[in-house]
Amino acid sequence: MKITISPVAQQWYQENIDLKPGDGLHFYGKVYGKTNVHQGYSIAFAKQKPQQPYYEVVYQQISYYFNDEDVWFFTGYDLQIDYDAKVDSPTYTFVDETSK
């Protein structure tokens, strides 16, 4: 269970969510939608400083994380976040941890 974020996706978050060093971005699963591995759930995020994250990765002094209550959504998968210039938005791909 890890999160990797491409530099261009990091830049998108910084510019569009107004993330600055010391800020955090909380990822979690929400009802409705889908991902490449979830039916009925999609990924959401909120600008929040982490309190006690279950998992956290820091890029350019910005925390990207999920909490204990989000573990169910990420268990067994790594989340790869990239950027799609055609739609000017991040892309989210879950990769099975065992496929490495």
Side-chain angles (χ1 to χ4, degrees):
M1 276 188 295
K2 68 178 181 178
I3 299 172
T4 56
I5 307 172
S6 72
V8 71
Q10 293 171 45
Q11 181 178 346
W12 185 92
Y13 287 122
Q14 290 172 17
E15 292 172 358
N16 291 277
I17 311 300
D18 193 31
L19 291 177
K20 296 183 177 20
D23 286 340
L25 198 62
H26 174 200
F27 290 98
Y28 58 96
K30 69 174 186 169
V31 176
Y32 302 114
K34 67 178 184 170
T35 71
N36 63 304
V37 297
H38 304 95
Q39 289 296 321
Y41 296 94
S42 60
I43 194 161
F45 58 84
K47 182 179 174 180
Q48 297 176 309
K49 292 185 188 225
Q51 299 301 312
Q52 293 181 311
Y54 180 87
Y55 174 85
E56 176 181 30
V57 63
V58 178
Y59 295 105
Q60 299 178 354
Q61 300 176 3
I62 298 169
S63 297
Y64 299 87
Y65 69 97
F66 58 88
N67 291 329
D68 289 345
E69 62 267 13
D70 310 309
V71 170
W72 67 272
F73 191 70
F74 296 95
T75 296
Y77 300 102
D78 292 337
L79 174 59
Q80 297 175 348
I81 304 173
D82 205 352
Y83 171 77
D84 184 343
K86 292 178 186 174
V87 293
D88 186 30
S89 181
T91 60
Y92 305 95
T93 305
F94 287 86
V95 177
D96 189 324
E97 286 179 319
T98 62
S99 67
K100 298 178 220 167

